[in-house]
């Protein structure tokens, strides 16, 4: 997660806090583990400071999700950056309690670095940000953070509307029982009109917004478009109260994290707080 966090911090002149949650252990083991963890974390922060960043290390005792959320509040952080492949593998972060609690309770966007991410944000050219939308108000909650981040780092926005194919049940002819019917021309036109309405003419200081309509399964189309259009970052909204299990357009964001090779910012729309 550090290369991407450093790229964002460089572009936005942000302060970086490196946070490590220490579990509760017997005093001697706990003390030794805490010293080792802080030494390693502080060395990482020192390396980032050598690169011109304002970076600070902090180790805190407690449950990982609570530690991170408390740190966000204490430091008035604007963004959480973390990898999806922690000590327990991809499954622990994607479906375990840490990421799930963060996405359900965090008041700031969460930037996830998928296991397949192969590069930090680019240098020497504008960053490209992909924003998938499904036509709902909740999916549009990603627009504000995407525009703010795009303006801060000088990125170009690409708004994507995927028109899902219709399912026809064919009991006698199709051995599977379901056949997918291509989207109608009027459905694609409505999707394009929707994006035109979202992408109002930019202000004098704003960069132009590109629009793209495609059809198919959103979980497959979004990663394909990200590669096809050489996207560097995806920003999309979470949908429900239980984190990654309930995301905009069903499980699309979960699958996108699985298949994506670029970082993904997940934004929880206002009003979807999860009780502590």
């Amino acid at each position: 997660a550090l290369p991407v966090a450093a790229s964002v911090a460089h572009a936005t002149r942000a302060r970086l806090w490196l946070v490590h949650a220490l579990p509760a252990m017997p005093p001697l083991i706990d003390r030794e583990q805490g010293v080792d963890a802080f030494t390693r974390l502080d060395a990482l922060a020192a390396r980032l400071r050598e690169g011109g960043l304002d970076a600070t290390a902090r180790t805190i005792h407690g449950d990982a999700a609570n530690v991170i959320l408390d740190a966000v509040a204490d430091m008035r952080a604007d963004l959480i950056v973390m990898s999806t492949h922690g000590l327990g593998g991809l499954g622990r972060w994607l479906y375990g309690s840490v990421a799930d609690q963060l996405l359900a309770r965090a008041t700031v966007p969460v930037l996830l670095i998928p296991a397949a991410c192969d590069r930090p944000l680019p240098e020497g050219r504008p960053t490209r940000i992909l924003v998938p939308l499904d036509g709902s108000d909740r999916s549009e909650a990603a627009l504000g953070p995407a525009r703010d981040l795009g303006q801060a780092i000088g990125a170009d926005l690409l708004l994507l509307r995927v028109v899902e194919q219709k399912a026809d049940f064919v009991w006698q002819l199709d051995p599977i029982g379901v056949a997918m019917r291509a989207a109608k021309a009027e459905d694609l036109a409505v999707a394009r009109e929707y994006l035109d309405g979202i992408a109002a003419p930019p202000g004098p200081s704003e960069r132009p917004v590109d629009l793209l309509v495609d059809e198919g399964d959103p979980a497959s189309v979004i990663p394909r478009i990200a590669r096809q259009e050489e996207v560097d970052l995806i920003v999309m909204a979470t949908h429900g109260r239980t984190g990654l299990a309930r995301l905009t357009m069903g499980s699309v964001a979960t699958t996108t994290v699985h298949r994506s090779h670029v970082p993904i910012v997940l934004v929880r729309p206002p009003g979807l707080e999860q009780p502590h």
Side-chain angles (χ1 to χ4, degrees):
L2 284 177
V4 174
S7 294
V8 173
H10 269 299
T12 60
R13 297 182 178 87
R15 185 176 189 181
L16 274 182
W17 288 89
L18 310 186
V19 176
H20 180 80
L22 285 169
M25 290 202 173
L28 181 59
I29 299 176
D30 182 59
R31 185 163 55 249
E32 292 177 350
Q33 187 183 57
V35 170
D36 290 343
F38 181 79
T39 299
R40 182 172 182 275
L41 210 62
D42 193 50
L44 291 174
R47 192 187 313 165
L48 292 169
R49 287 194 295 269
E50 291 174 359
L53 289 174
D54 183 358
T56 304
R58 178 181 291 187
T59 54
I60 306 173
H61 292 268
D63 172 75
N66 289 334
V67 163
I68 295 170
L69 292 170
D70 289 344
V72 167
D74 292 343
M75 302 164 189
R76 298 183 180 180
D78 303 294
L79 182 69
I80 299 170
V81 183
M82 70 182 206
S83 171
T84 61
H85 53 291
L87 294 176
L90 180 65
R92 173 187 171 191
W93 285 98
L94 271 181
Y95 303 107
S97 61
V98 176
D100 194 64
Q101 289 185 58
L102 288 179
L103 292 169
R105 294 164 51 196
T107 57
V108 298
V110 180
L111 200 170
L112 293 175
I113 316 300
C117 184
D118 49 15
R119 66 181 189 277
L121 298 182
E123 296 181 1
R125 68 168 176 83
T127 300
R128 300 206 74 198
I129 298 178
L130 174 66
V131 185
L133 300 168
D134 66 359
S136 69
D137 293 340
R138 289 181 176 178
S139 73
E140 293 170 16
L143 285 170
R147 284 171 171 152
D148 290 343
L149 183 60
Q151 187 171 9
I153 66 177
D156 296 326
L157 292 188
L158 171 60
L159 306 186
L160 171 66
R161 177 75 165 90
V162 180
V163 178
E164 297 187 61
Q165 297 173 327
K166 305 296 183 181
D168 286 333
F169 291 92
V170 186
W171 298 109
Q172 296 180 346
L173 302 179
D174 193 316
I176 301 177
V178 178
M180 301 308 295
R181 176 163 42 89
K184 296 180 180 179
E186 53 264 37
D187 295 332
L188 298 176
V190 168
R192 177 70 192 201
E193 184 178 354
Y194 164 76
L195 290 183
D196 287 335
I198 292 293
S205 61
E206 297 178 349
R207 303 176 70 90
V209 178
D210 294 325
L211 310 177
L212 182 60
V213 174
D214 209 319
E215 65 175 300
D217 172 28
S220 300
V221 173
I222 294 170
R224 173 175 61 79
I225 293 298
R227 290 185 178 275
Q228 174 184 309
E229 299 294 325
E230 298 183 343
V231 165
D232 305 294
L233 189 68
I234 299 172
V235 181
M236 56 195 307
T238 59
H239 195 343
R241 297 179 179 272
T242 55
L244 279 168
R246 300 285 187 270
L247 289 165
T248 186
M249 299 176 284
S251 61
V252 172
T254 306
T255 308
T256 301
V257 173
H258 270 296
R259 298 178 178 178
S260 178
H261 68 295
V262 298
I264 301 174
V265 178
L266 296 177
V267 181
R268 181 171 57 78
L272 293 181
E273 291 84 357
Q274 172 77 9
H276 184 87

